[in-house]
Amino acid sequence: MNEYERQAAEEVNRWLKQLRKSPSITASMAKRVQTKINHYIPQKVHDIMGDAIKHMVQGVIYGSQYFPKDSIQKAEQLEEADERVMNLIEVYQKGAAAEGAGTGAGGLILGAVDFPLLLGFKMRFLYSAASIYGLNLHDLNDRLYILYLFQAAFSSAEKRMETADTLEDWQEVEKEISKKTEFDWVSFQQEYRDHIDLVKMLQLVPGFGAVVGAFANYHLLGQLGEAAKQGCRLKWLKEKGLW
């Protein structure tokens, strides 16, 4: 293990500890506010969100729509992978912010349309980032790993703790996955739907949705970028026998 890999391993370890932290009082209060806001969102909007998450998960498991259009070469060294992914995060953050500002300006229903669009943004980013770190997108297990990275970024404190264990023990988790014939991702869908960032919900409020939409999308892509970077680093280090 070289010095860069040692520092990367320390950062991954801090990230895992962060995932395993108990929920703060602020987080609990934000959740209560979010729950109240949800009651004022029309059912049509909730249906759009639920369908979008369902189709995204099915697309990852059974489809190929999120595969990068151009072939992405795996990085030779971890430092190279990190640098390329940081550049990728910046590109996707800017694109997501611009898209969020446009749909956020349209109020409630048009703001909801942004939800499936942003999901597509997120998954295309994850697929590209994973390719840089050498994950095999044609391997179902690696695609499932990507979904767990998504879950690490966007879920409750309790689910993040569980996800941290899953990612760290992935080789054992894979053995259990191979024994299953069906995948129940209903809880995965519900977790994201229930714990989407509060500021993202505010994008649906007419009047200031454009500003909130741009900020929310930029923030959410950064949040996902950190999970992708650290989670892929973890897999890289484990496969190299350095974890």
Side-chain angles (χ1 to χ4, degrees), residues 62 176-183:
Y62 304 112
E176 294 301 316
I177 289 175
S178 65
K179 299 176 184 177
K180 298 179 182 179
T181 57
E182 296 181 359
F183 299 94

Side-chain angles (χ1 to χ4, degrees), residues 56 66 92-93 95-97 99-100 103 112-125 150 154 192 196 200 203 213 216-218 220-221 224:
M56 181 270 281
Y66 301 122
Y92 271 83
Q93 280 185 304
E99 184 262 325
T103 53
V113 172
D114 173 66
F115 192 82
L117 292 176
L118 184 59
L119 281 178
F121 250 82
K122 289 174 178 177
M123 294 316 300
R124 284 191 290 275
F125 162 75
F150 186 96
F154 310 115
Y192 179 64
I196 184 67
K200 183 63 180 170
Q203 181 182 347
N217 283 10
Y218 189 91
L220 292 171
L221 254 299
L224 182 62

Side-chain angles (χ1 to χ4, degrees), residues 119-182:
L119 281 178
F121 250 82
K122 289 174 178 177
M123 294 316 300
R124 284 191 290 275
F125 162 75
L126 278 177
Y127 271 53
S128 296
S131 296
I132 292 173
Y133 285 99
L135 274 70
N136 180 5
L137 300 181
H138 296 283
D139 185 329
L140 175 59
N141 285 351
D142 277 4
R143 297 202 304 277
L144 292 177
Y145 189 85
I146 289 173
L147 282 178
Y148 279 109
L149 295 180
F150 186 96
Q151 189 166 258
F154 310 115
S155 60
S156 64
E158 293 78 8
K159 182 59 68 173
R160 287 197 301 271
M161 293 178 189
E162 180 183 318
T163 303
D165 292 338
T166 297
L167 294 174
E168 193 165 15
D169 299 330
W170 184 248
Q171 291 176 326
E172 293 302 315
V173 172
E174 282 186 300
K175 295 176 183 177
E176 294 301 316
I177 289 175
S178 65
K179 299 176 184 177
K180 298 179 182 179
T181 57
E182 296 181 359

Side-chain angles (χ1 to χ4, degrees), residues 26-243:
T26 301
S28 299
M29 290 176 60
K31 174 58 182 173
R32 288 195 292 271
V33 172
Q34 180 179 315
T35 300
K36 290 182 179 180
I37 290 177
N38 281 338
H39 289 308
Y40 295 100
I41 301 296
Q43 186 58 43
K44 181 178 180 179
V45 174
H46 285 295
D47 291 342
I48 291 174
M49 293 179 174
D51 287 344
I53 297 168
K54 178 180 178 180
H55 292 149
M56 181 270 281
V57 173
Q58 290 177 337
V60 172
I61 295 175
Y62 304 112
S64 59
Q65 65 262 45
Y66 301 122
F67 278 60
K69 293 181 180 179
D70 300 320
S71 177
I72 296 179
Q73 192 73 22
K74 175 187 176 181
E76 294 293 330
Q77 302 293 332
L78 182 59
E79 186 172 4
E80 177 197 345
D82 287 348
E83 182 178 347
R84 288 169 59 186
V85 165
M86 291 305 295
N87 291 334
L88 191 69
I89 291 171
E90 184 177 353
V91 170
Y92 271 83
Q93 280 185 304
K94 290 179 179 177
E99 184 262 325
T103 53
L108 192 62
I109 299 301
L110 188 56
V113 172
D114 173 66
F115 192 82
L117 292 176
L118 184 59
L119 281 178
F121 250 82
K122 289 174 178 177
M123 294 316 300
R124 284 191 290 275
F125 162 75
L126 278 177
Y127 271 53
S128 296
S131 296
I132 292 173
Y133 285 99
L135 274 70
N136 180 5
L137 300 181
H138 296 283
D139 185 329
L140 175 59
N141 285 351
D142 277 4
R143 297 202 304 277
L144 292 177
Y145 189 85
I146 289 173
L147 282 178
Y148 279 109
L149 295 180
F150 186 96
Q151 189 166 258
F154 310 115
S155 60
S156 64
E158 293 78 8
K159 182 59 68 173
R160 287 197 301 271
M161 293 178 189
E162 180 183 318
T163 303
D165 292 338
T166 297
L167 294 174
E168 193 165 15
D169 299 330
W170 184 248
Q171 291 176 326
E172 293 302 315
V173 172
E174 282 186 300
K175 295 176 183 177
E176 294 301 316
I177 289 175
S178 65
K179 299 176 184 177
K180 298 179 182 179
T181 57
E182 296 181 359
F183 299 94
D184 179 13
W185 289 101
V186 174
S187 61
F188 172 90
Q189 298 169 25
Q190 195 64 45
E191 190 72 27
Y192 179 64
R193 184 175 174 180
D194 288 350
H195 294 91
I196 184 67
D197 201 325
L198 175 61
V199 71
K200 183 63 180 170
M201 284 296 187
L202 294 178
Q203 181 182 347
L204 306 180
V205 179
F208 62 109
V211 175
V212 174
F215 171 79
N217 283 10
Y218 189 91
H219 167 76
L220 292 171
L221 254 299
Q223 192 172 325
L224 182 62
E226 178 68 6
K229 178 183 175 182
Q230 302 301 344
C232 287
R233 278 173 150 188
L234 174 61
K235 200 168 192 301
W236 176 296
L237 292 168
K238 289 177 75 70
E239 290 179 351
K240 298 287 186 182
L242 301 176
W243 186 271

